[in-house]
Amino acid sequence: MNKFTPAKPAGARSVDDITGSRRLRRMRKAPWSRRLVQENRLTVDDLIWPIFLIDGDGRREPIEAMPGVFRLSVDMAVKEAERAARLGIPAIATFPNVEMKLRDQTGSAILDPDNLINRATRAIKKAVPEVGIITDAALDPFTSHGHDGILRDGIIVNDETVEQVTAAAVLQAAAGSDIIAPSDMMDGRIGAIRDALDANGFAEVAIMSYATKFHSAFYGPYRDAIGTAGLLQGDKKTYYLDHANSDEAVREAEQDLAEGADMLMVKPGLPYLDIIRRVKDELQMPTFAYQVSGEYSMIKAAGTNGWIDGEKAMLESLLCLKRAGCDGILTYFAPTVAEMLKG
C-alpha cells in the first residue's frame, strides 16, 4: 500500500473477498466477447413493416406527424413491397386512408370487395407473392366517427360490429391476405372470424389477434395517417384496455387463444414491456408487439433535434422488445433497420 491508498477499515472485505473469482465484467471487455454472450439479437426476420394506403396513382404523400413515413397509392405500395422482398422483410401490414365520401356511421365500405385495402392486397400478392400480407379488419378507417365499431346511440355495439368485421375478414382473405389481424377489441371477434374463414375455404389463413390493445396516448400520429384525427366522437375506453390493468390483458389474450388466434399482439410496445413478458411466459405462444406511431415519432423527433442518437435509440428500442419476449415487431423503422442489418 502506498501513501495514496486509503487504509481499509478493520474487518473490511476486499472486492475479491466479495466476488470470489466471479467477475461479470470479464465478458464485456471486448467486442468479440460481448457478441459471444449476447442473449438477444435483432434480425430482419423479426420485422413487420406497416404501410399506409391512399387512392390514386403515383402518389407518395408525406405524413407530417411521422417523418419519413408516407401514404402510398397502390402502385407505389407495390414498389415498397418489392423493396421489402429485396431486404428480406417477411411481411407487411396495410392500413388504408379512405376518402371521406366513402365513410359512414357503420363503416360499410369495408364490405366492398374492391375497396382500397383489398385492391392493394391483390396487387401486392401478384407482384411479390413471397411477402406475407397482414390486414386489419377494423372499421375505424371506414367510419365517419373514427371508432373501431358501429356506433348506435352513442354506444359501440359489439355483436353487430363483430358480424361486419367477420364479413370483412373473409373478403380480405379472398383478396389474398395471409394473416387477418383484427384490432377492434370486440368480444368474440376471434372465434367468429375463425369460424367464418374455415367455412369459406380459408382454413390456412392465420389470425394475429390484437389481444392486448390498450387505450393509449401513443396513437395520435397513426390517426393522422389514416385520416381519423379530429373525427373521433368521445374516446375508445369502452373497448380498448385500461393501461393500468395487466391481469385483464392476460385474460383477453387467453380468451383469444381459446377462440382460435394463432398469434398474439401487444400494442403499444415499449410502455408495455411487462405485458409482453407476461403474455409470452404465461401463454407460450408467438407474441408480437406493435411499436406504434407515437413511439416512432418520439424517437424520430428527438433524433432530428439532436437530443438523442436516433439510430441507436431505434435499435435499442427494438432490441428491448425482443428481450421482453417478442417473436416479431411491427415497426415503421423496418426498412431502415433491414438496410442496416443487410449492410
Side-chain angles (χ1 to χ4, degrees):
M1 182 175 72
N2 62 39
K3 63 180 180 180
F4 300 108
T5 305
K8 290 191 297 182
R13 294 184 297 166
S14 69
V15 171
D16 282 331
D17 292 332
I18 296 169
T19 65
S21 61
R22 190 175 189 186
R23 296 216 172 207
L24 297 178
R25 286 185 58 193
R26 288 191 185 110
M27 296 309 295
R28 303 176 199 154
K29 68 181 181 180
W32 64 264
S33 59
R34 291 194 295 270
R35 283 169 29 225
L36 277 176
V37 298
Q38 185 174 333
E39 297 173 27
N40 295 282
R41 284 183 167 80
L42 181 70
T43 76
V44 70
D45 295 333
D46 299 316
L47 304 175
I48 297 170
W49 183 10
I51 64 173
F52 296 104
L53 305 169
I54 49 174
D55 276 304
D57 295 301
R59 296 180 66 188
R60 184 180 175 86
E61 185 176 280
I63 300 168
E64 184 178 359
M66 300 178 69
V69 178
F70 301 84
R71 302 179 191 93
L72 305 166
S73 55
V74 171
D75 56 325
M76 301 302 289
V78 168
K79 291 182 183 298
E80 293 294 62
E82 291 170 342
R83 179 185 175 199
R86 290 193 300 271
L87 290 170
I89 296 172
I92 61 174
T94 58
F95 298 93
N97 182 317
V98 177
E99 295 178 5
M100 279 303 302
K101 65 183 181 181
L102 299 176
R103 303 186 190 208
D104 58 25
Q105 284 289 104
T106 65
S108 61
I110 199 172
L111 299 178
D112 180 356
D114 201 36
N115 65 27
L116 179 56
I117 197 168
N118 293 330
R119 282 188 280 116
T121 297
R122 287 194 292 269
I124 293 169
K125 186 53 72 175
K126 180 179 180 181
V128 276
E130 67 272 28
V131 172
I133 301 179
I134 301 171
T135 56
D136 183 1
L139 303 185
D140 52 323
F142 298 92
T143 59
S144 55
H145 45 72
H147 277 288
D148 299 44
I150 294 172
L151 188 64
R152 301 276 188 213
D153 300 321
I155 297 171
I156 300 299
V157 291
N158 191 92
D159 295 357
E160 190 177 349
T161 297
V162 168
E163 183 177 347
Q164 186 149 303
V165 163
T166 299
V170 172
L171 292 173
Q172 291 175 6
S177 177
D178 300 291
I179 298 174
I180 305 297
S183 67
D184 55 286
M185 291 296 289
M186 298 295 119
D187 289 333
R189 74 200 189 286
I190 301 299
I193 290 171
R194 182 72 274 158
D195 289 346
L197 290 174
D198 292 353
N200 285 276
F202 300 113
E204 299 304 313
V205 174
I207 298 175
M208 176 188 285
S209 169
Y210 284 66
T212 61
K213 184 177 183 181
F214 289 86
H215 185 267
S216 173
F218 288 91
Y219 302 143
Y222 170 87
R223 289 172 183 162
D224 178 39
I226 66 167
T228 61
L231 295 181
L232 191 62
Q233 301 172 19
D235 57 42
K236 303 189 178 189
K237 291 181 179 179
T238 65
Y239 49 103
Y240 286 7
L241 282 166
D242 187 332
H243 48 251
N245 296 351
S246 59
D247 290 342
E248 184 183 14
V250 174
R251 290 196 296 271
E252 283 278 3
E254 288 174 330
Q255 179 170 303
D256 287 358
L257 279 181
E259 292 180 14
D262 301 285
M263 295 162 277
L264 301 170
M265 186 200 296
V266 177
K267 182 181 182 181
L270 280 180
Y272 298 90
L273 295 177
D274 60 316
I275 306 298
I276 296 168
R277 185 76 268 164
R278 281 197 66 182
V279 167
K280 186 64 176 179
D281 286 348
E282 296 183 30
L283 303 179
Q284 299 182 11
M285 286 292 291
T287 302
F288 296 77
Y290 199 140
Q291 186 182 52
V292 299
S293 58
E295 298 173 71
Y296 170 87
S297 294
M298 285 193 304
I299 293 172
K300 289 289 287 187
T304 299
N305 282 286
W307 299 330
I308 61 173
D309 185 316
E311 186 175 284
K312 289 180 179 178
M314 169 188 70
L315 293 172
E316 181 180 343
S317 68
L318 294 171
L319 192 58
C320 287
L321 292 167
K322 283 284 292 181
R323 188 194 66 232
C326 284
D327 297 288
I329 305 162
L330 289 85
T331 176
Y332 303 101
F333 288 120
T336 302
V337 174
E339 287 172 351
M340 289 175 62
L341 294 173
K342 192 177 180 67

